[in-house]
Amino acid sequence: SAVISQKPSRDICQRGTSLTIQCQVDSQVTMMFWYRQQPGQSLTLIATANQGSEATYESGFVIDKFPISRPNLTFSTLTVSNMSPEDSSIYLCSGKKGANTGELFFGEGSRLTVL
Amino acid sequence: KQEVTQIPAALSVPEGENLVLNCSFTDSAIYNLQWFRQDPGKGLTSLLLIQSSQREQTSGRLNASLDKSSGRSTLYIAASQPGDSATYLCALNNAGGTSYGKLTFGQGTILTVHP
């Protein structure tokens, strides 16, 4: 399995603020993705983090709200901007290794609570 | 649009039982199917990956099968243990290439194995 680490693991934030989540992967990972899991729900893909270029966002997610960076192959950040209580979720970084199996691995997630 | 359904939503069994978790999907044109385990408040652990050309995969006490024609997958857990208690998620990838990371998840089955 690939090693994927995220931080912070959890945080409590005030409405209107922004928080950046960091994700570090091992060198086996070639593609990186960000998912959201709202309370009691399953996972939804936010975007694909592209190295050195703008992320590819899924329908319903926009760059102004969820800016993503991936400055190099093994590191990415997701910012949740201008947070509201509806943004309270677990945000998960995931990655795919270079081998053509399609298997995805996930980090431990970052649990955000917005007051 | 792919829809994934997992039945049952919750399952409680005594230790030692063999059990089956079910996953059904509407679009059989899948690239692969992956079973995950999620412990409360945690990230996802990949359990088994089945490619579209495969019928089953095994890992230890776990066996996953895939029947594309009927749109079904099952996860069989043999000799269940309390440590197996978790939420089990089924996820499908409908396309390879640049869509490797876009998994469609089911809502999960919450499994409780009591001593």
Side-chain angles (χ1 to χ4, degrees), chain A residues 10 31 33 35 37 40-45 48 58 90 92 94 96 100-109 111, chain B residues 31-32 34 36 38 40-44 46-49 51 89 93 97-103 105-108:
Chain A
R10 58 178 60 232
M31 298 182 73
F33 313 93
Y35 278 81
Q37 185 176 31
Q41 303 295 314
S42 197
L43 281 77
T44 302
L45 179 65
T48 301
E58 296 299 309
I90 301 175
L92 298 109
S94 71
K96 188 187 87 70
N100 194 26
T101 64
E103 186 173 12
L104 251 64
F105 300 94
F106 284 79
E108 285 292 302
R111 178 186 289 272
Chain B
Y31 183 74
N32 60 42
Q34 204 166 345
F36 294 92
Q38 185 175 31
K42 299 291 188 180
L44 276 64
S46 178
L47 297 174
L48 290 165
L49 171 74
Q51 302 292 351
L89 294 162
N93 187 340
T98 57
S99 297
Y100 271 142
K102 189 169 184 177
L103 299 183
F105 281 83
Q107 293 287 355

Side-chain angles (χ1 to χ4, degrees), chain B residues 83-99:
Chain B
D84 295 329
S85 299
T87 298
Y88 290 80
L89 294 162
C90 166
L92 280 79
N93 187 340
N94 274 100
T98 57
S99 297

